[in-house]
Amino acid sequence: MEDDVAAPTADSVRPGASERPERRALAATQLAILQAEAWASDPSAYTLVSTVEAAGIPDWPLLIDSVHRTLRRHDVFSWRLSLDTSYQLATAGGPGTGTTYEIEQVDLRDSSRPDADAAIQDRLNLERGRAIPLLQRSSEPTTRVLLFRLPAGQDAGHAAVCSLITHHVLVDEYATELLWNEVFRRAAQHTTAEQYDRRFAEWAAESVAAAAVPTARQAAHEILRHLGQARLDPLPPHSPSPPGAEPEPPLRFTLPSALTTTVAARAATMGLPATALHAAALLRVLAKHTSGQDLVVRVPMTRRRSVEDLESVGCYITSLPVLVSQASGRYSLDQAAMQWHHSLRFTSDRAHADLAVLRAGLAGAPQISLAFENRSGRRRAHPITWSPIPPPDSGPKADLAVFLSPGSRHHPGDCRILWRPGVLNRRAAQDLIDQFLTQLP
């Protein structure tokens, strides 16, 4: 059963009559996403679904109020994008101008837990496939929060699955974690900031200011020189694919906790993050399928650098090319991990690179993407606890896309692999997974 209790009023969705919206500058990261979206075959490619399961919620109306207060505090949820008379992007927002979100409650307390889980997954799959109308002149929200009220569990208080659905232009994965932390701390009546937060708007303006242009171009040229003649053409097809073939569903698998612990210990002795060993193991396998040439792998990386960046909600993520040496297939795993870490650091130190210069220099987008996600562990703001839920399936944005969540000592990790028709088939993808797991220590 769905109900509209505590849905935003008209005043909370549309600009207030007494407030004049302030002009906003789109960040370099946001402009890159909008440009990529314009060429995406899937209109929902940049719809972001962030979901957590929470228990021990002491007061349901307070949870709803906490979502409202959290979203109203962060500047990006007031932003409205439009085209001006010259067909240039214009952005406005600010405190008092209203928000562009809605909250929907879905009461599943009378359902069995399996039925509730199935209903939640069906709804999240539907939302994941829905395009977010950023430039549409309508009252349709650009952000939706779904609160699925669950049957009572063993813990005191209410249980829920909570999902934030929005456009990736507005937030990155790290920002959604900040939002859930704030929502549940507020619902638990812990001390929480209340002042309106303009920090992302200020950073966005700085990222495209005239002073940022020369250093961004220089960083892009340095990355291009580092890449040299690495492979940029599409991956060789594994099998022929009929015209118009639909992508296959992602292949998902679990990284056992014991394996995660072993990898973490090995990485610690090398002074590397565990993800370096995961990446090296995967790329050693991929090197066998690409004629031994240098590869370019596209990696999402953050431009957050200061304390202010780490505390503010917005989209700081940029996707940049990283070099994989042709020798990685001949290296030991430790050597490959060191080589990967060096290349990744080289590019991440230049995360401010001008993406237009990179696109021109690369003459096309790298066809492999590798992203690391963080879904391990349970968070707590007594008496509330919450933990992330893997996102619904989505289509590939590259010939081959890999998403890894390494897990932790007490929580298994997970991985999903997506590919475009003809690049792999399901059996070949499973073979790649099996080889990847045998590469790890």
Side-chain angles (χ1 to χ4, degrees), residues 50-73:
S50 171
T51 307
V52 297
E53 181 171 350
I57 302 165
D59 184 83
W60 188 259
L62 181 57
L63 171 65
I64 298 167
D65 180 66
S66 297
V67 174
H68 278 299
R69 289 164 64 189
T70 298
L71 295 186
R72 286 173 180 162
R73 195 176 80 80

Side-chain angles (χ1 to χ4, degrees), residues 99-121:
T99 53
T100 56
Y101 72 86
E102 71 176 14
I103 300 173
E104 179 183 341
Q105 299 176 74
V106 183
D107 194 336
L108 299 173
R109 285 175 294 175
D110 292 336
S111 303
S112 68
R113 186 56 200 261
D115 287 346
D117 289 342
I120 291 168
Q121 194 60 52

Side-chain angles (χ1 to χ4, degrees), residues 36-357:
E37 183 185 37
W39 295 99
S41 57
D42 178 4
S44 67
Y46 292 92
T47 296
L48 183 148
V49 179
S50 171
T51 307
V52 297
E53 181 171 350
I57 302 165
D59 184 83
W60 188 259
L62 181 57
L63 171 65
I64 298 167
D65 180 66
S66 297
V67 174
H68 278 299
R69 289 164 64 189
T70 298
L71 295 186
R72 286 173 180 162
R73 195 176 80 80
H74 294 286
D75 195 61
V76 288
F77 296 108
S78 73
W79 287 23
R80 291 169 183 79
L81 278 64
S82 60
L83 295 174
D84 62 21
T85 54
S86 302
Y87 295 97
Q88 299 296 309
L89 275 172
T91 308
T97 62
T99 53
T100 56
Y101 72 86
E102 71 176 14
I103 300 173
E104 179 183 341
Q105 299 176 74
V106 183
D107 194 336
L108 299 173
R109 285 175 294 175
D110 292 336
S111 303
S112 68
R113 186 56 200 261
D115 287 346
D117 289 342
I120 291 168
Q121 194 60 52
D122 286 347
R123 179 62 186 277
L124 295 183
N125 287 338
L126 176 65
E127 295 295 336
R128 179 61 190 82
R130 195 195 306 271
I132 305 291
L134 278 181
L135 295 172
Q136 187 172 315
R137 293 175 179 270
S138 74
S139 60
E140 188 171 351
T142 54
T143 297
R144 179 179 285 108
V145 177
L146 302 179
L147 302 178
F148 299 94
R149 199 166 181 180
L150 297 177
Q154 296 180 346
D155 297 332
H158 305 280
V161 167
C162 309
S163 189
L164 173 78
I165 300 103
T166 190
H167 198 290
H168 190 28
V169 157
L170 299 181
V171 293
D172 53 31
E173 184 186 40
Y174 179 83
T176 62
E177 186 171 339
L178 292 177
L179 287 167
W180 291 127
N181 290 349
E182 184 173 336
V183 165
F184 293 120
R185 283 184 58 81
R186 186 171 273 120
Q189 297 187 304
H190 291 209
T191 302
T192 310
E194 297 291 347
Q195 69 273 21
Y196 192 83
D197 194 345
R198 300 174 179 268
R199 286 177 292 188
F200 179 73
E202 294 166 356
W203 178 87
E206 290 174 2
S207 76
V208 293
V213 172
T215 55
R217 288 178 178 167
Q218 178 181 343
H221 287 300
E222 290 173 356
I223 290 174
L224 290 173
R225 287 195 294 272
H226 181 67
L227 296 178
Q229 300 300 313
R231 185 187 191 112
L232 301 176
D233 54 313
L235 294 175
H238 182 274
S239 59
S241 179
E246 291 292 322
E248 295 184 73
L251 189 57
R252 294 179 178 268
F253 65 97
T254 298
L255 294 172
S257 297
L259 181 61
T260 296
T261 301
T262 303
V263 171
R266 174 82 160 268
T269 64
M270 298 173 62
L272 294 178
T275 52
L277 282 170
H278 286 98
L282 176 69
L283 296 170
R284 277 161 56 86
V285 174
L286 290 178
K288 299 176 182 178
H289 298 272
T290 53
S291 305
Q293 293 177 273
D294 284 355
L295 294 176
V296 170
V297 177
R298 185 174 290 279
V299 181
M301 51 188 68
T302 184
R303 288 186 58 179
R304 298 174 187 268
R305 293 292 184 266
S306 68
V307 172
E308 289 75 15
D309 298 343
L310 291 169
E311 293 177 346
S312 60
V313 169
C315 182
Y316 291 82
I317 291 293
T318 187
S319 188
L320 293 175
V322 178
L323 178 68
V324 180
S325 169
Q326 62 178 340
S328 60
R330 302 191 299 270
Y331 287 158
S332 69
L333 180 63
D334 290 1
Q335 290 172 323
M338 292 294 292
Q339 187 274 332
W340 166 259
H341 186 63
H342 173 77
S343 289
L344 186 66
R345 284 291 302 271
F346 182 91
T347 301
S348 65
D349 288 344
R350 294 158 180 80
H352 56 289
D354 188 316
L355 297 181
V357 172

Side-chain angles (χ1 to χ4, degrees), residues 351-373:
H352 56 289
D354 188 316
L355 297 181
V357 172
L358 285 176
R359 278 192 298 271
L362 292 170
Q367 299 301 309
I368 301 173
S369 67
L370 172 61
F372 286 95
E373 300 174 320

